[in-house]
Amino acid sequence: MFKSMAIEWTGDTLKLIDQRKMPLEEIWVECRDHVETAHAIKDMVVRGAPAIGVSAAFGYVLGFSKAPKNSKVELIEYMKEVKRTLASSRPTAVNLFWALDRMEKRFEEAIEKNFDETLKILEKEALEIANEDLEMNKQMGKNGLKLFEDKKDVTLLTHCNAGALATSGYGTALGVIRALKEAGKNVKVFVDETRPYLQGARLTAWELVKSSIEAVLICDNMAGWVMKQGWVDAIIVGADRIAANGDVANKIGTYSLAVLAKKHGIPFYVAAPYSTIDLSTADGSKIPIEERNHEEVTHIMGKRIAPEGVKVFNPAFDVTDNELITAIITEKGVITQPYSENLKKLFER
Ligand code: MRU
Protein backbone atom coordinates (compact mmCIF):
# COMPACT_ATOMS: atom_id res chain seq x y z
CA MET A 1 0.00 0.00 0.00
CA PHE A 2 1.09 3.57 -0.62
CA LYS A 3 -0.45 6.90 0.34
CA SER A 4 0.80 10.41 -0.23
CA MET A 5 -0.83 13.83 -0.37
CA ALA A 6 -1.83 13.16 -4.02
CA ILE A 7 -1.70 9.42 -4.67
CA GLU A 8 -3.11 6.36 -2.93
CA TRP A 9 -2.56 2.76 -4.03
CA THR A 10 -5.08 0.54 -2.29
CA GLY A 11 -3.89 -2.78 -3.75
CA ASP A 12 -6.50 -2.93 -6.48
CA THR A 13 -7.29 0.68 -7.35
CA LEU A 14 -5.42 3.96 -7.76
CA LYS A 15 -6.89 6.97 -5.99
CA LEU A 16 -5.80 10.45 -6.98
CA ILE A 17 -6.67 13.72 -5.31
CA ASP A 18 -8.37 15.81 -7.99
CA GLN A 19 -5.87 18.64 -8.44
CA ARG A 20 -8.20 20.37 -10.91
CA LYS A 21 -10.51 21.21 -8.03
CA MET A 22 -7.99 22.11 -5.35
CA PRO A 23 -7.81 23.99 -3.06
CA LEU A 24 -11.55 24.67 -3.10
CA GLU A 25 -12.47 20.99 -2.89
CA GLU A 26 -10.49 17.94 -1.82
CA ILE A 27 -12.06 15.10 -3.78
CA TRP A 28 -10.39 11.76 -4.64
CA VAL A 29 -10.88 10.17 -8.07
CA GLU A 30 -10.65 6.38 -8.41
CA CYS A 31 -8.92 4.71 -11.38
CA ARG A 32 -9.75 1.04 -11.87
CA ASP A 33 -7.74 0.37 -15.02
CA HIS A 34 -5.01 1.82 -17.21
CA VAL A 35 -7.48 3.68 -19.44
CA GLU A 36 -8.95 5.58 -16.49
CA THR A 37 -5.41 6.26 -15.23
CA ALA A 38 -4.35 7.63 -18.64
CA HIS A 39 -7.42 9.91 -18.67
CA ALA A 40 -6.63 11.14 -15.16
CA ILE A 41 -3.09 12.05 -16.24
CA LYS A 42 -4.24 13.70 -19.49
CA ASP A 43 -6.97 15.70 -17.73
CA MET A 44 -4.53 16.73 -14.98
CA VAL A 45 -6.35 15.13 -12.08
CA VAL A 46 -2.75 14.24 -11.24
CA ARG A 47 0.12 16.38 -12.56
CA GLY A 48 3.76 17.14 -11.90
CA ALA A 49 6.46 15.03 -13.56
CA PRO A 50 7.27 12.55 -10.75
CA ALA A 51 3.60 12.10 -9.76
CA ILE A 52 2.74 11.38 -13.40
CA GLY A 53 5.45 8.69 -13.49
CA VAL A 54 4.27 7.10 -10.24
CA SER A 55 0.63 7.13 -11.36
CA ALA A 56 1.54 5.58 -14.72
CA ALA A 57 3.43 2.78 -12.93
CA PHE A 58 0.32 1.95 -10.89
CA GLY A 59 -1.78 2.31 -14.06
CA TYR A 60 0.45 -0.34 -15.68
CA VAL A 61 -0.26 -2.69 -12.74
CA LEU A 62 -4.00 -2.03 -13.13
CA GLY A 63 -3.69 -2.75 -16.85
CA PHE A 64 -1.98 -6.06 -16.15
CA SER A 65 -4.57 -7.01 -13.53
CA LYS A 66 -7.22 -6.89 -16.31
CA ALA A 67 -5.09 -8.74 -18.89
CA PRO A 68 -6.48 -11.55 -21.07
CA LYS A 69 -5.25 -14.93 -19.86
CA ASN A 70 -5.62 -16.96 -23.08
CA SER A 71 -2.16 -16.85 -24.60
CA LYS A 72 1.26 -15.34 -24.03
CA VAL A 73 1.24 -13.71 -27.48
CA GLU A 74 -2.05 -12.03 -26.72
CA LEU A 75 -0.79 -10.91 -23.31
CA ILE A 76 2.36 -9.36 -24.78
CA GLU A 77 0.35 -7.45 -27.39
CA TYR A 78 -2.14 -6.33 -24.73
CA MET A 79 0.63 -5.04 -22.40
CA LYS A 80 2.18 -3.08 -25.30
CA GLU A 81 -1.21 -1.42 -25.75
CA VAL A 82 -1.41 -0.70 -22.00
CA LYS A 83 1.96 1.03 -22.20
CA ARG A 84 0.98 2.96 -25.37
CA THR A 85 -2.25 4.18 -23.78
CA LEU A 86 -0.48 5.45 -20.67
CA ALA A 87 2.44 6.90 -22.66
CA SER A 88 0.11 8.93 -24.89
CA SER A 89 -1.37 10.83 -21.94
CA ARG A 90 1.19 13.67 -21.78
CA PRO A 91 4.33 14.19 -23.89
CA THR A 92 6.77 16.42 -22.00
CA ALA A 93 7.49 14.96 -18.54
CA VAL A 94 10.03 12.22 -19.17
CA ASN A 95 9.25 10.55 -15.81
CA LEU A 96 6.17 9.07 -17.50
CA PHE A 97 8.24 7.18 -20.10
CA TRP A 98 10.96 6.37 -17.58
CA ALA A 99 8.46 4.72 -15.22
CA LEU A 100 6.73 2.83 -18.04
CA ASP A 101 10.04 1.52 -19.42
CA ARG A 102 10.92 0.32 -15.94
CA MET A 103 7.56 -1.44 -15.57
CA GLU A 104 7.82 -3.02 -19.02
CA LYS A 105 11.28 -4.36 -18.23
CA ARG A 106 9.90 -6.09 -15.12
CA PHE A 107 7.01 -7.49 -17.15
CA GLU A 108 9.35 -8.88 -19.79
CA GLU A 109 11.57 -10.48 -17.16
CA ALA A 110 8.53 -12.09 -15.51
CA ILE A 111 7.01 -13.43 -18.71
CA GLU A 112 7.55 -17.11 -17.79
CA LYS A 113 5.90 -16.68 -14.38
CA ASN A 114 2.24 -17.26 -13.64
CA PHE A 115 -0.30 -14.43 -13.50
CA ASP A 116 -0.34 -13.94 -9.72
CA GLU A 117 3.43 -13.93 -9.44
CA THR A 118 3.77 -11.38 -12.25
CA LEU A 119 1.11 -9.18 -10.70
CA LYS A 120 3.04 -9.19 -7.41
CA ILE A 121 6.31 -8.35 -9.18
CA LEU A 122 4.71 -5.44 -11.04
CA GLU A 123 3.03 -4.09 -7.93
CA LYS A 124 6.32 -4.28 -6.04
CA GLU A 125 8.08 -2.34 -8.81
CA ALA A 126 5.41 0.40 -8.84
CA LEU A 127 5.64 0.69 -5.06
CA GLU A 128 9.42 0.95 -5.33
CA ILE A 129 9.10 3.75 -7.88
CA ALA A 130 6.74 5.59 -5.52
CA ASN A 131 8.82 5.09 -2.38
CA GLU A 132 12.12 5.87 -4.11
CA ASP A 133 10.70 9.18 -5.31
CA LEU A 134 9.89 10.25 -1.75
CA GLU A 135 13.40 9.31 -0.57
CA MET A 136 15.02 11.16 -3.48
CA ASN A 137 13.06 14.30 -2.67
CA LYS A 138 14.20 14.27 0.94
CA GLN A 139 17.81 13.81 -0.16
CA MET A 140 17.43 16.61 -2.71
CA GLY A 141 16.23 18.84 0.11
CA LYS A 142 19.36 18.05 2.14
CA ASN A 143 21.61 18.64 -0.87
CA GLY A 144 19.91 21.94 -1.62
CA LEU A 145 20.68 23.23 1.89
CA LYS A 146 24.35 23.57 0.95
CA LEU A 147 23.48 26.40 -1.42
CA PHE A 148 22.13 28.51 1.43
CA GLU A 149 24.61 27.61 4.21
CA ASP A 150 25.65 31.20 4.88
CA LYS A 151 22.10 32.56 5.16
CA LYS A 152 19.66 32.66 8.07
CA ASP A 153 16.94 34.52 6.13
CA VAL A 154 16.13 33.13 2.70
CA THR A 155 13.63 34.55 0.24
CA LEU A 156 12.90 32.39 -2.78
CA LEU A 157 10.68 32.67 -5.79
CA THR A 158 9.04 29.59 -7.28
CA HIS A 159 6.85 28.81 -10.25
CA CYS A 160 4.14 26.19 -10.80
CA ASN A 161 3.93 23.39 -8.22
CA ALA A 162 6.93 21.16 -7.58
CA GLY A 163 5.69 20.06 -4.18
CA ALA A 164 4.21 17.05 -2.42
CA LEU A 165 1.27 17.16 -4.81
CA ALA A 166 3.58 16.83 -7.83
CA THR A 167 5.59 13.93 -6.43
CA SER A 168 5.35 11.01 -4.00
CA GLY A 169 5.65 13.55 -1.22
CA TYR A 170 7.86 16.37 0.14
CA GLY A 171 8.50 17.80 -3.32
CA THR A 172 11.52 18.72 -5.44
CA ALA A 173 11.78 22.54 -5.46
CA LEU A 174 9.35 22.67 -2.56
CA GLY A 175 11.37 19.90 -0.91
CA VAL A 176 14.39 22.20 -0.80
CA ILE A 177 12.16 24.94 0.61
CA ARG A 178 10.86 22.52 3.28
CA ALA A 179 14.42 21.46 4.13
CA LEU A 180 15.43 25.11 4.63
CA LYS A 181 12.51 25.62 6.99
CA GLU A 182 13.34 22.39 8.86
CA ALA A 183 16.94 23.59 9.19
CA GLY A 184 15.65 26.58 11.14
CA LYS A 185 16.01 29.27 8.47
CA ASN A 186 13.52 32.10 8.11
CA VAL A 187 12.05 31.18 4.76
CA LYS A 188 9.78 33.32 2.65
CA VAL A 189 8.52 32.30 -0.78
CA PHE A 190 7.14 34.41 -3.59
CA VAL A 191 4.72 32.14 -5.43
CA ASP A 192 3.97 32.83 -9.09
CA GLU A 193 0.29 32.15 -9.70
CA THR A 194 1.27 30.25 -12.91
CA ARG A 195 -1.33 30.99 -15.54
CA PRO A 196 -3.11 29.40 -17.25
CA TYR A 197 -3.62 26.45 -14.92
CA LEU A 198 -2.82 28.31 -11.68
CA GLN A 199 -0.74 25.55 -10.10
CA GLY A 200 1.09 28.23 -8.07
CA ALA A 201 -1.99 29.99 -6.71
CA ARG A 202 -4.06 26.85 -6.20
CA LEU A 203 -1.50 24.21 -5.21
CA THR A 204 1.85 25.69 -4.13
CA ALA A 205 0.24 28.43 -2.04
CA TRP A 206 -1.98 25.74 -0.44
CA GLU A 207 0.99 23.48 0.37
CA LEU A 208 3.06 26.33 1.82
CA VAL A 209 0.23 27.70 3.95
CA LYS A 210 -0.50 24.16 5.19
CA SER A 211 3.19 23.78 6.16
CA SER A 212 3.32 27.21 7.85
CA ILE A 213 5.92 28.52 5.40
CA GLU A 214 5.50 32.24 4.66
CA ALA A 215 4.10 32.55 1.14
CA VAL A 216 3.42 35.68 -0.90
CA LEU A 217 1.30 35.07 -3.97
CA ILE A 218 2.07 37.19 -7.03
CA CYS A 219 0.77 37.21 -10.60
CA ASP A 220 3.34 35.94 -13.08
CA ASN A 221 3.95 39.39 -14.57
CA MET A 222 5.00 40.74 -11.14
CA ALA A 223 8.08 38.51 -10.79
CA GLY A 224 10.47 40.86 -12.61
CA TRP A 225 9.48 43.81 -10.48
CA VAL A 226 9.86 41.77 -7.28
CA MET A 227 13.37 40.77 -8.40
CA LYS A 228 14.24 44.38 -9.22
CA GLN A 229 13.40 45.39 -5.64
CA GLY A 230 16.22 43.08 -4.47
CA TRP A 231 13.82 40.90 -2.52
CA VAL A 232 14.71 37.52 -4.05
CA ASP A 233 17.81 35.52 -3.00
CA ALA A 234 17.22 32.72 -5.52
CA ILE A 235 14.69 31.26 -7.91
CA ILE A 236 13.93 27.57 -7.45
CA VAL A 237 11.81 25.47 -9.78
CA GLY A 238 11.23 21.82 -10.68
CA ALA A 239 11.62 20.21 -14.10
CA ASP A 240 9.69 18.03 -16.50
CA ARG A 241 12.68 16.96 -18.55
CA ILE A 242 16.36 17.80 -18.43
CA ALA A 243 18.18 17.20 -21.71
CA ALA A 244 21.73 15.82 -21.90
CA ASN A 245 23.19 19.35 -22.26
CA GLY A 246 21.32 20.66 -19.19
CA ASP A 247 18.51 22.49 -21.00
CA VAL A 248 15.41 22.26 -18.81
CA ALA A 249 11.78 21.92 -19.84
CA ASN A 250 9.46 23.14 -17.11
CA LYS A 251 6.14 24.94 -16.76
CA ILE A 252 5.59 27.77 -19.24
CA GLY A 253 6.99 30.96 -17.73
CA THR A 254 10.12 29.31 -16.31
CA TYR A 255 12.27 30.60 -19.17
CA SER A 256 11.17 34.21 -18.60
CA LEU A 257 12.08 33.87 -14.93
CA ALA A 258 15.55 32.57 -15.81
CA VAL A 259 16.18 35.50 -18.16
CA LEU A 260 15.01 37.94 -15.49
CA ALA A 261 17.14 36.22 -12.86
CA LYS A 262 20.23 36.64 -15.06
CA LYS A 263 19.46 40.34 -15.58
CA HIS A 264 19.21 40.85 -11.80
CA GLY A 265 22.16 38.62 -10.82
CA ILE A 266 19.93 36.16 -8.95
CA PRO A 267 20.88 32.45 -8.84
CA PHE A 268 18.49 30.20 -10.76
CA TYR A 269 18.18 26.66 -9.37
CA VAL A 270 16.39 23.60 -10.73
CA ALA A 271 15.60 20.69 -8.39
CA ALA A 272 14.89 17.32 -9.99
CA PRO A 273 15.53 13.60 -9.47
CA TYR A 274 17.47 11.39 -11.92
CA SER A 275 14.14 10.14 -13.33
CA THR A 276 13.70 13.61 -14.89
CA ILE A 277 17.09 13.58 -16.63
CA ASP A 278 16.91 12.34 -20.19
CA LEU A 279 20.38 11.71 -21.62
CA SER A 280 18.80 10.37 -24.81
CA THR A 281 17.54 13.87 -25.68
CA ALA A 282 20.55 15.89 -26.78
CA ASP A 283 19.20 19.38 -26.07
CA GLY A 284 16.06 21.33 -25.30
CA SER A 285 15.06 21.81 -28.94
CA LYS A 286 14.30 18.06 -29.12
CA ILE A 287 11.94 18.05 -26.11
CA PRO A 288 8.30 17.74 -27.19
CA ILE A 289 6.30 20.64 -25.81
CA GLU A 290 2.69 19.86 -24.98
CA GLU A 291 0.06 22.25 -26.28
CA ARG A 292 -3.09 22.17 -24.22
CA ASN A 293 -6.72 23.03 -24.61
CA HIS A 294 -7.37 26.66 -25.57
CA GLU A 295 -10.05 26.89 -22.92
CA GLU A 296 -7.31 26.96 -20.27
CA VAL A 297 -6.46 30.43 -21.63
CA THR A 298 -9.89 31.75 -22.59
CA HIS A 299 -11.45 30.59 -19.31
CA ILE A 300 -10.54 30.77 -15.63
CA MET A 301 -12.03 28.06 -13.41
CA GLY A 302 -14.66 27.33 -16.09
CA LYS A 303 -15.63 30.97 -16.62
CA ARG A 304 -14.97 32.64 -19.99
CA ILE A 305 -12.74 35.73 -19.74
CA ALA A 306 -11.85 36.28 -23.43
CA PRO A 307 -14.06 37.00 -26.44
CA GLU A 308 -15.35 34.15 -28.61
CA GLY A 309 -13.36 33.86 -31.84
CA VAL A 310 -9.97 35.01 -30.49
CA LYS A 311 -6.97 32.88 -31.51
CA VAL A 312 -5.04 31.21 -28.70
CA PHE A 313 -1.58 29.72 -28.19
CA ASN A 314 -1.23 27.52 -25.11
CA PRO A 315 2.12 25.75 -24.74
CA ALA A 316 2.22 24.05 -21.33
CA PHE A 317 6.02 24.15 -21.02
CA ASP A 318 9.05 26.08 -22.18
CA VAL A 319 12.75 25.31 -22.31
CA THR A 320 15.35 27.19 -20.28
CA ASP A 321 18.82 27.17 -21.84
CA ASN A 322 21.44 25.55 -19.67
CA GLU A 323 23.59 28.68 -19.53
CA LEU A 324 20.83 30.43 -17.56
CA ILE A 325 20.85 27.72 -14.87
CA THR A 326 23.15 28.28 -11.90
CA ALA A 327 22.84 24.71 -10.57
CA ILE A 328 20.74 21.57 -10.79
CA ILE A 329 19.95 20.02 -7.42
CA THR A 330 19.56 16.23 -7.60
CA GLU A 331 19.40 13.48 -5.00
CA LYS A 332 22.96 12.56 -5.99
CA GLY A 333 24.36 16.05 -5.48
CA VAL A 334 24.35 19.59 -6.82
CA ILE A 335 25.52 19.88 -10.41
CA THR A 336 26.90 22.94 -12.17
CA GLN A 337 28.35 23.62 -15.63
CA PRO A 338 29.53 21.91 -17.76
CA TYR A 339 26.19 20.07 -17.61
CA SER A 340 26.89 17.78 -20.59
CA GLU A 341 29.79 16.24 -18.67
CA ASN A 342 28.39 16.46 -15.17
CA LEU A 343 24.96 15.00 -15.95
CA LYS A 344 26.59 12.03 -17.65
CA LYS A 345 28.86 11.51 -14.63
CA LEU A 346 25.79 11.47 -12.38
CA PHE A 347 24.62 8.25 -14.01
CA GLU A 348 28.03 6.67 -13.53
CA ARG A 349 27.90 7.17 -9.74
O1 MRU B 1 1.50 20.78 -16.23
P1 MRU B 1 2.00 20.31 -14.91
O2 MRU B 1 1.26 20.87 -13.74
O3 MRU B 1 2.13 18.81 -14.85
O4 MRU B 1 3.48 20.90 -14.85
C1 MRU B 1 4.25 20.66 -13.70
C2 MRU B 1 5.56 21.33 -13.71
O5 MRU B 1 5.93 21.99 -14.66
C3 MRU B 1 6.47 21.07 -12.55
O6 MRU B 1 7.29 22.17 -12.29
C4 MRU B 1 7.35 19.85 -12.85
O7 MRU B 1 6.60 18.78 -13.30
C5 MRU B 1 8.15 19.44 -11.67
S1 MRU B 1 7.15 18.71 -10.41
C6 MRU B 1 8.17 18.17 -9.19
Side-chain angles (χ1 to χ4, degrees):
M1 301 316 104
F2 175 84
K3 187 161 166 52
S4 71
M5 196 181 261
I7 301 168
E8 180 176 2
W9 173 249
T10 65
D12 48 22
T13 58
L14 176 67
K15 289 186 179 163
L16 300 167
I17 197 160
D18 193 342
Q19 297 193 35
R20 300 167 303 181
K21 305 227 161 63
M22 292 183 72
L24 305 179
E25 291 172 77
E26 289 175 34
I27 297 169
W28 289 76
V29 169
E30 194 169 35
C31 305
R32 287 153 301 184
D33 58 29
H34 62 285
V35 178
E36 288 182 357
T37 309
H39 281 148
I41 296 171
K42 197 181 182 73
D43 294 348
M44 289 173 73
V45 172
V46 64
R47 31 70 46 204
I52 291 171
V54 170
S55 303
F58 287 122
Y60 191 89
V61 180
L62 290 174
F64 179 80
S65 72
K66 305 275 181 334
K69 298 188 182 75
N70 306 338
S71 78
K72 211 152 271 177
V73 177
E74 204 184 338
L75 175 64
I76 290 168
E77 273 318 299
Y78 168 85
M79 286 312 290
K80 278 191 188 147
E81 183 52 33
V82 167
K83 189 184 180 204
R84 263 197 300 272
T85 303
L86 288 161
S88 64
S89 56
R90 292 193 76 188
T92 306
V94 77
N95 308 58
L96 171 67
F97 311 102
W98 168 86
L100 288 172
D101 285 346
R102 208 168 134 170
M103 294 303 293
E104 185 175 56
K105 190 159 175 272
R106 279 285 166 271
F107 168 68
E108 286 169 356
E109 284 163 4
I111 196 71
E112 294 308 328
K113 304 208 183 284
N114 70 34
F115 180 84
D116 288 345
E117 280 175 329
T118 309
L119 183 59
K120 261 196 205 126
I121 288 169
L122 293 179
E123 184 184 22
K124 186 167 172 276
E125 187 70 6
L127 285 167
E128 263 173 39
I129 289 174
N131 288 315
E132 251 176 40
D133 184 61
L134 178 60
E135 289 317 308
M136 290 193 292
N137 292 339
K138 291 193 175 151
Q139 190 54 48
M140 230 179 281
K142 282 189 195 142
N143 295 346
L145 282 182
K146 292 173 203 144
L147 298 165
F148 302 94
E149 253 165 8
D150 54 331
K151 281 193 169 5
K152 177 76 182 147
D153 302 306
V154 186
T155 301
L156 298 162
L157 189 147
T158 194
H159 191 67
C160 194
N161 173 265
L165 288 166
T167 60
S168 275
Y170 205 66
T172 57
L174 235 77
V176 175
I177 293 170
R178 285 183 203 283
L180 287 166
K181 171 86 178 173
E182 284 161 19
K185 313 253 182 205
N186 301 317
V187 187
K188 175 172 167 175
V189 186
F190 283 100
V191 180
D192 272 2
E193 64 170 348
T194 319
R195 270 285 282 157
Y197 211 70
L198 301 172
Q199 290 94 329
R202 298 190 300 102
L203 309 174
T204 299
W206 179 83
E207 280 197 43
L208 291 172
V209 168
K210 209 173 153 76
S211 302
S212 306
I213 297 172
E214 187 181 352
V216 181
L217 180 62
I218 55 172
C219 299
D220 300 322
N221 49 8
M222 299 170 188
W225 187 241
V226 169
M227 287 186 222
K228 194 168 187 185
Q229 308 310 310
W231 292 338
V232 180
D233 295 315
I235 316 280
I236 187 156
V237 295
D240 286 83
R241 192 185 297 222
I242 302 177
N245 71 341
D247 290 350
V248 168
N250 191 50
K251 180 54 53 196
I252 190 76
T254 303
Y255 169 61
S256 325
L257 285 181
V259 173
L260 282 163
K262 178 131 190 143
K263 156 87 185 161
H264 294 101
I266 297 169
F268 186 90
Y269 299 129
V270 174
Y274 83 103
S275 50
T276 304
I277 300 167
D278 178 13
L279 295 186
S280 71
T281 297
D283 61 62
S285 70
K286 316 277 185 322
I287 299 175
I289 300 295
E290 178 182 14
E291 239 199 283
R292 291 191 62 86
N293 196 318
H294 291 177
E295 280 200 3
E296 288 181 1
V297 178
T298 55
H299 290 63
I300 295 184
M301 300 300 274
K303 198 169 167 30
R304 177 172 277 280
I305 51 139
E308 302 263 7
V310 71
K311 285 186 186 163
V312 173
F313 177 47
N314 184 19
F317 302 97
D318 58 27
V319 174
T320 299
D321 314 72
N322 64 68
E323 67 260 25
L324 296 173
I325 299 165
T326 314
I328 300 176
I329 304 161
T330 77
E331 76 286 1
K332 293 186 186 178
V334 176
I335 299 171
T336 51
Q337 293 277 15
Y339 290 117
S340 299
E341 266 172 50
N342 293 337
L343 286 171
K344 214 190 289 164
K345 276 192 206 148
L346 198 72
F347 283 81
E348 289 158 9
R349 282 186 205 169

